[in-house]
Amino acid sequence: MTKFKIKSGDTVQVIAGDHKGTEGKVVKILKDKNKAIVEGVNMVKKHTKPSAQSPQGGIVEKEAPIHISNLSLLSGKGETTRIGYRMEGDKKVRFSKKSNEVI
C-alpha cells in the first residue's frame, strides 16, 4: 500500500492539468486509485435518475477525483512546499521543508 504525504483536510494547489493554479481543501483520498477529491476543483456534471432521495432527478455538479501527482501541498503561509517527518517528543509530525513549520 502506498503512503501519501497529502491527507484529507489539507489545503493543496493543482500544479498540472486543466485546473492548474487552483487551490482547495482535500475532501477525500482514494488510496486504491492514487487520487484525491479536492473541494471546488475538477467539477463535473452528473445526470441522475429520479430516486427516493431526489425525486426530480436532473443534473448535479460534483467534484471528480484528481491524481495525487498533480497536487502540491500548501503551507500555512500559502506557499507550495514539500513534506518531511520528524519526531517531537513521542510524536511523529509533518513539517514543511521550505519554512520548517509543523503542518
Side-chain angles (χ1 to χ4, degrees), residues 8-92:
S8 114
D10 286 343
T11 306
V12 294
Q13 182 178 27
V14 180
I15 57 172
D18 293 338
H19 304 281
K20 183 176 181 177
T22 311
E23 297 177 6
K25 189 175 179 183
V26 176
V27 177
K28 187 176 181 181
I29 300 284
L30 306 171
K31 285 191 174 189
D32 54 333
K33 296 181 181 177
N34 294 340
K35 295 187 177 199
I37 296 175
V38 182
E39 199 173 80
V41 177
N42 201 17
M43 299 296 284
V44 294
K45 292 182 189 222
K46 182 176 167 104
H47 297 262
T48 58
K49 290 172 71 174
S51 66
Q53 286 128 2
S54 61
Q56 279 290 343
I59 301 170
V60 178
E61 250 191 87
K62 60 183 268 182
E63 294 101 357
I66 188 166
H67 200 271
I68 289 281
S69 67
N70 295 334
L71 301 175
S72 177
L73 191 68
L74 292 177
S75 66
K77 298 174 183 173
E79 57 188 8
T80 60
T81 184
R82 292 181 300 149
I83 292 296
Y85 292 93
R86 67 176 173 222
M87 296 299 290
E88 285 189 0
D90 293 339
K91 284 188 166 185
K92 181 180 179 183

